[in-house]
Structure formats: C-alpha cells, structure tokens
Amino acid sequence: MNASIVDLRYRTKQVLDALERRESVSVLYHGKVKGTIVPASSQTLRKVSDTPFFGMHKRDKRPVNKIMTALRGGRTRAL
C-alpha cells in the first residue's frame, strides 16, 4: 500500500488495517518514497551470535574489562 503524508493523518484507520493484513506501507512525500512501515509481527529477531561482532575477540585471553578499556582508548583516560 502507498500512503501520502495526508493519508497518514486523515486515513490512519486504513493504514492500520493494511498493517493488520500484514502489508507494508510505503510513505510518499511529493510522490517519492521516503520510508516504509512494516508490520511488527513480520520483523524477525536476530540472535546475538549472528552479528558480525560476536566473537571478534575470542582468541584474546584478557579479562573483558581490560579489552573494553583498550577499545575505549582515550575517551576514558585523562588527557
């Protein structure tokens, strides 16, 4: 479904009905797509282990607080 800014304001019920039918709603501004509203139930949750940063320091044997201090660098040290 496509919806303009005016539709979002004055036809909110129809937009919500489309989301209830599990349709995504493209938001148009001056005829161009500015964003998409997707139904909440269609979003999938990702596991932490699926993120690219999970396990990036698995070979490092230092304690976590030492690794975090090294990563933060100058932000936590007195200049």
Side-chain angles (χ1 to χ4, degrees):
M1 172 183 186
N2 292 331
S4 68
I5 299 298
V6 174
D7 291 335
L8 290 178
R9 181 171 182 184
Y10 293 111
R11 297 189 178 121
T12 307
K13 175 81 167 97
Q14 287 86 358
V15 171
L16 292 175
D17 288 343
L19 291 171
E20 186 69 29
R21 292 188 304 267
R22 302 178 56 94
E23 295 178 21
S24 61
V25 178
S26 296
V27 179
L28 305 175
Y29 183 71
H30 291 287
K32 296 180 182 174
V33 176
K34 291 294 181 176
T36 304
I37 303 172
V38 294
S41 59
S42 68
Q43 295 175 350
T44 58
L45 298 175
R46 291 175 38 186
K47 295 187 289 186
V48 174
S49 60
D50 292 339
T51 61
F53 296 108
F54 183 78
M56 65 188 264
H57 291 284
K58 64 183 171 187
R59 293 187 188 119
D60 198 344
K61 300 299 179 193
R62 295 180 292 169
V64 174
N65 61 341
K66 298 286 186 186
I67 295 171
M68 292 306 297
T69 302
L71 288 173
R72 288 184 183 119
R75 294 187 301 158
T76 59
R77 294 185 194 135
L79 297 176

